[in-house]
Short mmCIF file of all heavy atoms in Angstrom, two decimals:
data_model
loop_
_atom_site.label_atom_id
_atom_site.label_comp_id
_atom_site.label_asym_id
_atom_site.label_seq_id
_atom_site.Cartn_x
_atom_site.Cartn_y
_atom_site.Cartn_z
N PRO A 242 145.36 141.47 117.31
CA PRO A 242 145.82 140.66 118.44
C PRO A 242 146.22 139.28 117.92
O PRO A 242 145.53 138.75 117.06
CB PRO A 242 144.58 140.56 119.33
CG PRO A 242 143.43 140.83 118.42
CD PRO A 242 143.95 141.79 117.40
N CYS A 243 147.32 138.73 118.39
CA CYS A 243 147.83 137.38 118.03
C CYS A 243 149.29 137.41 117.64
O CYS A 243 149.88 136.36 117.41
CB CYS A 243 147.06 136.69 116.89
SG CYS A 243 147.61 137.16 115.24
N VAL A 244 149.90 138.58 117.55
CA VAL A 244 151.29 138.64 117.08
C VAL A 244 152.21 137.96 118.11
O VAL A 244 153.10 137.20 117.74
CB VAL A 244 151.72 140.10 116.79
CG1 VAL A 244 153.21 140.18 116.46
CG2 VAL A 244 150.88 140.66 115.64
N SER A 245 151.95 138.18 119.42
CA SER A 245 152.71 137.44 120.43
C SER A 245 151.85 137.22 121.68
O SER A 245 150.88 137.94 121.91
CB SER A 245 154.03 138.15 120.78
OG SER A 245 153.79 139.28 121.57
N TYR A 246 152.25 136.21 122.47
CA TYR A 246 151.40 135.75 123.59
C TYR A 246 152.26 135.12 124.66
O TYR A 246 153.28 134.49 124.36
CB TYR A 246 150.37 134.72 123.08
CG TYR A 246 151.01 133.56 122.35
CD1 TYR A 246 151.21 132.33 122.98
CD2 TYR A 246 151.44 133.70 121.04
CE1 TYR A 246 151.83 131.27 122.31
CE2 TYR A 246 152.06 132.65 120.37
CZ TYR A 246 152.25 131.45 121.00
OH TYR A 246 152.88 130.42 120.35
N GLU A 247 151.83 135.27 125.90
CA GLU A 247 152.55 134.63 127.00
C GLU A 247 152.14 133.16 127.15
O GLU A 247 150.99 132.80 126.83
CB GLU A 247 152.23 135.34 128.32
CG GLU A 247 153.11 136.56 128.54
CD GLU A 247 152.81 137.24 129.87
OE1 GLU A 247 151.72 137.05 130.44
OE2 GLU A 247 153.68 138.00 130.32
N CYS A 248 153.07 132.36 127.69
CA CYS A 248 152.75 130.98 128.02
C CYS A 248 152.64 130.90 129.55
O CYS A 248 152.64 131.93 130.23
CB CYS A 248 153.84 130.05 127.52
SG CYS A 248 155.45 130.43 128.24
N GLU A 249 152.60 129.66 130.08
CA GLU A 249 152.40 129.52 131.53
C GLU A 249 153.54 130.14 132.35
O GLU A 249 153.38 130.43 133.52
CB GLU A 249 152.19 128.05 131.91
CG GLU A 249 153.38 127.13 131.63
CD GLU A 249 153.23 126.33 130.34
OE1 GLU A 249 152.50 126.79 129.44
OE2 GLU A 249 153.85 125.24 130.23
N GLU A 250 154.71 130.39 131.71
CA GLU A 250 155.81 131.03 132.44
C GLU A 250 155.48 132.47 132.83
O GLU A 250 156.09 133.03 133.73
CB GLU A 250 157.08 131.04 131.58
CG GLU A 250 158.00 129.89 131.80
CD GLU A 250 159.44 130.20 131.36
OE1 GLU A 250 159.74 131.33 130.93
OE2 GLU A 250 160.26 129.27 131.48
N GLN A 251 154.57 133.09 132.10
CA GLN A 251 154.19 134.50 132.29
C GLN A 251 155.43 135.39 132.32
O GLN A 251 155.58 136.29 133.15
CB GLN A 251 153.41 134.69 133.60
CG GLN A 251 152.02 134.07 133.56
CD GLN A 251 151.28 134.28 134.86
OE1 GLN A 251 151.77 133.90 135.92
NE2 GLN A 251 150.10 134.89 134.82
N ASN A 252 156.36 135.10 131.42
CA ASN A 252 157.62 135.84 131.42
C ASN A 252 158.06 136.03 129.98
O ASN A 252 158.85 135.25 129.46
CB ASN A 252 158.64 135.01 132.23
CG ASN A 252 160.00 135.66 132.22
OD1 ASN A 252 160.11 136.87 132.04
ND2 ASN A 252 161.04 134.85 132.40
N GLY A 253 157.52 137.07 129.35
CA GLY A 253 157.84 137.31 127.94
C GLY A 253 156.80 136.67 127.04
O GLY A 253 156.17 135.68 127.41
N SER A 254 156.61 137.27 125.85
CA SER A 254 155.54 136.82 124.95
C SER A 254 156.13 136.19 123.70
O SER A 254 156.92 136.83 122.98
CB SER A 254 154.66 138.01 124.57
OG SER A 254 154.09 138.56 125.74
N HIS A 255 155.74 134.93 123.42
CA HIS A 255 156.23 134.21 122.24
C HIS A 255 155.68 134.86 120.97
O HIS A 255 154.47 135.06 120.85
CB HIS A 255 155.73 132.76 122.27
CG HIS A 255 156.41 131.92 123.31
ND1 HIS A 255 157.64 131.34 123.11
CD2 HIS A 255 156.05 131.59 124.58
CE1 HIS A 255 158.00 130.67 124.20
NE2 HIS A 255 157.05 130.81 125.11
N VAL A 256 156.56 135.13 120.02
CA VAL A 256 156.12 135.72 118.76
C VAL A 256 155.71 134.60 117.81
O VAL A 256 156.41 133.58 117.71
CB VAL A 256 157.26 136.56 118.13
CG1 VAL A 256 156.82 137.15 116.79
CG2 VAL A 256 157.72 137.66 119.08
N ASN A 257 154.60 134.76 117.13
CA ASN A 257 154.18 133.80 116.11
C ASN A 257 155.09 134.02 114.89
O ASN A 257 154.68 134.53 113.84
CB ASN A 257 152.70 133.99 115.77
CG ASN A 257 151.80 133.16 116.66
OD1 ASN A 257 152.07 131.98 116.89
ND2 ASN A 257 150.75 133.77 117.17
N GLU A 258 156.33 133.61 115.08
CA GLU A 258 157.43 133.95 114.17
C GLU A 258 157.34 133.34 112.79
O GLU A 258 158.07 133.75 111.89
CB GLU A 258 158.71 133.35 114.76
CG GLU A 258 159.53 134.21 115.60
CD GLU A 258 160.88 133.53 115.73
OE1 GLU A 258 161.04 132.66 116.60
OE2 GLU A 258 161.76 133.86 114.94
N ASP A 259 156.55 132.25 112.65
CA ASP A 259 156.45 131.69 111.31
C ASP A 259 155.56 132.55 110.42
O ASP A 259 155.54 132.40 109.20
CB ASP A 259 155.95 130.22 111.35
CG ASP A 259 154.72 130.05 112.23
OD1 ASP A 259 154.58 130.77 113.23
OD2 ASP A 259 153.87 129.19 111.90
N HIS A 260 154.83 133.50 111.02
CA HIS A 260 154.00 134.42 110.23
C HIS A 260 154.47 135.87 110.33
O HIS A 260 154.27 136.65 109.40
CB HIS A 260 152.53 134.33 110.66
CG HIS A 260 151.93 133.00 110.39
ND1 HIS A 260 151.65 132.57 109.11
CD2 HIS A 260 151.59 131.97 111.21
CE1 HIS A 260 151.14 131.35 109.16
NE2 HIS A 260 151.11 130.96 110.42
N PHE A 261 155.05 136.26 111.47
CA PHE A 261 155.45 137.66 111.67
C PHE A 261 156.91 137.67 112.12
O PHE A 261 157.19 137.29 113.27
CB PHE A 261 154.57 138.31 112.75
CG PHE A 261 153.11 137.94 112.62
CD1 PHE A 261 152.48 137.15 113.60
CD2 PHE A 261 152.37 138.35 111.53
CE1 PHE A 261 151.15 136.78 113.48
CE2 PHE A 261 151.04 137.98 111.40
CZ PHE A 261 150.42 137.19 112.37
N PHE A 262 157.81 138.08 111.25
CA PHE A 262 159.23 137.99 111.61
C PHE A 262 159.65 139.27 112.35
O PHE A 262 159.54 140.37 111.81
CB PHE A 262 160.10 137.80 110.35
CG PHE A 262 161.54 137.61 110.73
CD1 PHE A 262 161.98 136.39 111.23
CD2 PHE A 262 162.45 138.65 110.65
CE1 PHE A 262 163.30 136.21 111.62
CE2 PHE A 262 163.77 138.49 111.04
CZ PHE A 262 164.19 137.26 111.54
N PRO A 263 160.15 139.11 113.60
CA PRO A 263 160.49 140.30 114.38
C PRO A 263 161.98 140.66 114.28
O PRO A 263 162.83 139.78 114.19
CB PRO A 263 160.19 139.83 115.82
CG PRO A 263 160.49 138.36 115.80
CD PRO A 263 160.27 137.86 114.40
#
Side-chain angles (χ1 to χ4, degrees):
C243 84
V244 173
S245 74
Y246 54 100
E247 276 181 339
C248 60
E249 63 261 25
E250 266 202 3
Q251 291 180 303
N252 177 25
S254 300
H255 288 278
V256 178
N257 271 315
E258 266 195 276
D259 48 328
H260 295 289
F261 318 112
F262 184 77

